[in-house]
Amino acid sequence: MVPSDATTQGSALTVEPLPAFSDNYIWLLHRDGQAWVVDPGDAFPVQHALQKRGLCLRGIFLTHHHADHVGGVHALRSATVCRVVGPAGEPLPEPLEPVAEGDAFQALGLVWRVLEVPGHTAGHVAYVNDTPPGGPRWLFCGDTLFSGGCGRLFEGTPAQMLASLDRLAALPGETQVCCAHEYTLSNLRFAQTVEPDNPELAAYAQACQARRELGEPTLPSTIATERRINPFLRSRQPSVRRAVQQREPAARSDVDIFAALRRWKDGFR
Ligand code: ZN
Ligand code: FE
């Protein structure tokens, strides 16, 4: 048999979350013995998983510069020859293959596209693969979009974060959303405070609660689910606008409402 292109040959891509620290996920992607990881804040869980599954690490995707996302890069790179791809505009461990908006590169037989999604940090990026219609699509969005929530605005403006989330919300509904933290239950407590009458949100919260009780991740989510339950993707909905304006009656524009919603969450316990 003639060996052919990795894009059409071999097994399907496997994507799984490796728990790290108290609530991070390092996403492990692998196929035919080759692996990439996303945001390895700690090398240990990655090395453990590679060994257990008999995988060879080929590359690392970085979404932004925070230590809980890059802390394991040096150790992984010194143990193996792997590529490290990350946003050009962030202070990241060198050497790096810098990427920016619209760039595309090959990994594990798929084409990955780079979306700049500033807000949490100034140079934050997300990665999404090209796929034929109906094929699996994964989004690695770091600390920009969480299930039921979004990242804090450490470096960007509310207008930037709203635009970034709008871009992610516009991806196909079946896109698998692979976030970097298990924040879902606390996010959903806030979401239900904002939208107590959203039945899909209530059902989703119950399902996520059950998964956590079994010790399972609530992720990946999907873009379709997030559009229905995540207040930060729903800030233009009348229900969310009304709830925000009860707290901040002066909030009028889409950006004002989004900023007030983010402030509300920042102070929510
Ligand atoms: Zn972060
Ligand atoms: Fe983080």
Side-chain angles (χ1 to χ4, degrees):
M1 202 172 100
V2 181
S4 74
D5 187 344
T7 53
T8 55
Q9 198 73 16
S11 60
L13 185 69
T14 300
V15 177
E16 49 185 316
L18 307 177
F21 307 117
S22 57
D23 53 32
N24 282 70
Y25 288 128
I26 299 167
W27 289 89
L28 170 68
L29 294 66
H30 60 97
R31 166 188 243 168
D32 300 328
Q34 318 280 302
W36 279 61
V37 289
V38 186
D39 286 355
D42 185 2
F44 178 77
V46 175
Q47 281 162 334
H48 181 78
L50 294 172
Q51 210 161 43
K52 204 168 131 191
R53 294 163 181 74
L55 301 172
C56 171
L57 185 66
R58 285 309 171 97
I60 298 174
F61 298 88
L62 299 177
T63 64
H64 69 294
H65 69 86
H66 288 159
D68 63 314
H69 299 252
V70 306
V73 170
H74 283 309
L76 291 172
R77 186 161 27 207
S78 62
T80 173
V81 181
C82 68
R83 298 168 61 186
V84 182
V85 174
E90 300 247 315
L92 294 170
E94 297 285 342
L96 180 79
E97 291 179 44
V99 291
E101 176 64 35
D103 284 353
F105 60 95
Q106 292 253 354
L108 298 172
L110 294 171
V111 173
W112 297 88
R113 296 205 180 267
V114 178
L115 304 175
E116 288 181 0
V117 285
H120 178 67
T121 64
H124 201 301
V125 299
Y127 301 92
V128 64
N129 65 293
D130 285 353
T131 190
R137 191 192 301 270
W138 291 274
L139 168 68
F140 298 100
C141 50
D143 288 353
T144 298
L145 173 62
F146 296 123
S147 186
C150 74
R152 283 181 186 261
L153 303 181
F154 287 122
E155 297 173 12
T157 63
Q160 283 178 318
M161 188 56 133
L162 179 59
S164 294
L165 293 176
D166 282 344
R167 298 192 66 192
L168 300 183
L171 290 169
E174 70 278 9
T175 304
Q176 303 284 305
V177 179
C178 302
C179 322
H181 290 271
E182 179 62 67
Y183 288 160
T184 310
L185 293 188
S186 65
N187 285 339
L188 294 178
R189 272 198 309 114
F190 174 73
Q192 288 190 282
T193 303
V194 177
E195 284 194 289
D197 299 324
N198 178 338
E200 287 178 287
L201 171 57
Y204 181 68
Q206 220 161 40
C208 288
Q209 179 88 41
R211 296 189 73 172
R212 294 306 291 151
E213 278 163 16
L214 295 171
E216 292 171 7
T218 59
L219 301 171
S221 180
T222 65
I223 288 292
T225 296
E226 295 306 312
R227 285 187 208 130
R228 290 194 290 260
I229 62 95
N230 188 325
F232 293 93
L233 300 190
R234 298 172 56 76
S235 62
R236 296 179 187 86
Q237 294 290 316
S239 53
V240 176
R241 285 185 67 95
R242 265 196 310 274
V244 168
Q245 284 174 331
Q246 258 166 24
R247 299 173 52 88
E248 297 202 29
R252 285 275 183 277
S253 71
D254 290 350
V255 172
D256 285 352
I257 296 279
F258 180 81
L261 181 66
R262 187 56 258 184
R263 275 195 295 277
W264 183 4
K265 174 72 162 64
D266 289 342
F268 183 80
R269 291 289 173 270

